Amino acid sequence: MTPNLPQPVGRMLQRSMAVSIVVLGMSWAAGCTTLPWGNGGLGDEVPAEAIDPNGLVRVLGPSDLVAAAARLTNLIPVRWADGLTIEGLLSLDAGGASIDAMIDGVVIEPGPVQLALGSAGLAVSVGVTIAPAPLADRDATVVLCAPKLSADGALLAFDLGLVTDKLGRVQAVLVGEPRFEGAALSVDWSGCGDVVVATALDELTDELWGALADVTADAIAPDLLLAVPPALGLDLATGIAGTVAADAMGSGYARLSVAADEADGDAVWRSVGDVLVVPFGVGITADTHPCMPALVLPRIGVSPLPGSGSAEPGTALLSAAVVRQAITAGWLAGAACGSHATRGVEVPAEELAAMWPALGRLPAATPLSLQVWPREAPSVGLAIGGADRLVIGTGLVDIDLYAELDGAQVRLASMTIDADTVLGVRIGATGLVTLAPSEVTLRASGARAGLLAAPPLDAAEALLRPVVLALLDGRPLLSLPARPATTGSTRVRVTAEHIVVPM
């Protein structure tokens, strides 16, 4: 097989195929950019030493609680459009008298929801209106009277605790005694005559409203408890495992677990001043692809919880340890080796021909491709050399340049490089997180001949710099859990300890 030597390469060569690498390692295992947020799982499949218990931290301030309350209020027209019909038997005991109040078709109309920090986690109040309606008070089987009750603009107040289930999902639970608050509560006992004369009316009225608060909270709670975690952005538990790269050589796997935990019986949440902090443990493991050298995924360690100076409300803090571990796990599992990362990238052959004359001996429009063989694990730095920057270093990488000649893949030459890429991270209006490379520093340290003579080192650098940019620019990383749509995109802040994600 002999190439057609006289023809120079006349134009840039390209093949358009999907690039499968996902650099920030949280969506590699899924093969897509949407994780099953809110589902939890896999906690038992990731060993404790591979879990950073504070790897992802949700931080909520007063304004976040106001926004969450607005989301919960929006549920009311959908869930409770026709009001809630309350029925049942209330046992009242006041002034030495025991009276059963039979609720028969009392309709309660829920109103706006308010949220605040509370001793159990969250203090909740729901506006309540009750149209004037009778209750049947009875002693044994004898109906004694039918007092009327009403409420206009009253508040049903109760406390919610935050706990976790076995899948690491944050759950809201009703704690303490629900209660009605507000001056618009009334009971009309007229017509009951001697039945209640001997009974302390104030005490009996309090008993009635206390019992009614219990059954009202029981009616409202099922919908509200399910809606509170996603309204607060606490539906961050997830678990996924799968193949990162598979080929004739073998396969590489990765596992990711994000789960909240009530360690040693402690509450899942913390308070830092007027800020609510909810940590999620993040665990990452990888099985190395055969195309990679025998590298070991380092221990992830334990990141510190944010303190009063760093607990920024309205954010989720992804620790630097998790970012490093995710990138390294995807790297070891084969995301960047062989042709897994480079299919479809443009090879600027026309620009290279002037620096590497041997390339001009190939037929015009010869398809070129690259195969990558990392020697080392990547390095990851946050906010190095300035704020809001993520720097990824490849370590030493061998790269083979191939040409398709007469239907066969022929190695033209090989190069050894290492590269540092400075990246910004952006969140789009739909929650999609993407990379924005701003600078690539690439160093070629060696070149070897194949079918063609080895390229000069400056030609190798010119060849690979646009390849690195093409791999990263606009690359989708993952999609955050659904949130109210915003306009435009937001640049994610990077500090020395965290990627700060606005939520």
Coordinates of all heavy atoms in Angstrom, one line a residue, residues 60-68 313-314:
L60 N -28.9 26.9 52.2 CA -30.2 27.6 52.1 C -30.3 28.8 53.1 O -30.1 28.6 54.3 CB -31.4 26.7 52.3 CG -31.6 25.5 51.3 CD1 -32.2 24.3 52.0 CD2 -32.4 26.0 50.1
G61 N -30.6 30.0 52.6 CA -30.8 31.1 53.4 C -32.2 31.6 53.4 O -33.1 30.9 52.8
P62 N -32.6 32.6 54.1 CA -33.9 33.1 54.3 C -34.6 33.3 52.9 O -35.8 33.0 52.7 CB -33.8 34.4 55.1 CG -32.6 34.2 55.9 CD -31.6 33.4 55.0
S63 N -33.9 33.9 51.9 CA -34.5 34.2 50.6 C -34.8 32.9 49.9 O -35.8 32.8 49.1 CB -33.6 35.1 49.8 OG -32.4 34.5 49.6
D64 N -34.0 31.8 50.1 CA -34.2 30.5 49.5 C -35.5 29.9 50.1 O -36.3 29.2 49.4 CB -33.0 29.6 49.7 CG -31.8 30.2 49.1 OD1 -31.8 30.5 47.9 OD2 -30.8 30.3 49.9
L65 N -35.7 30.1 51.4 CA -37.0 29.6 52.0 C -38.2 30.3 51.4 O -39.2 29.7 51.2 CB -36.9 29.7 53.5 CG -35.7 28.9 54.2 CD1 -35.8 29.1 55.7 CD2 -35.8 27.5 53.8
V66 N -38.0 31.6 51.2 CA -39.2 32.4 50.6 C -39.5 31.8 49.2 O -40.6 31.6 48.8 CB -38.8 33.9 50.6 CG1 -39.9 34.6 49.8 CG2 -38.7 34.4 52.0
A67 N -38.4 31.6 48.4 CA -38.6 31.1 47.1 C -39.2 29.7 47.1 O -40.1 29.3 46.3 CB -37.3 31.0 46.3
A68 N -38.8 28.8 48.0 CA -39.3 27.5 48.2 C -40.8 27.6 48.6 O -41.6 26.8 48.1 CB -38.5 26.7 49.2
P313 N -25.7 31.3 50.8 CA -27.0 30.9 50.6 C -27.3 30.8 49.1 O -26.7 31.5 48.2 CB -27.9 31.9 51.2 CG -27.0 32.6 52.2 CD -25.6 32.6 51.6
G314 N -28.2 30.0 48.7 CA -28.6 29.9 47.3 C -27.7 29.1 46.4 O -27.7 29.3 45.2

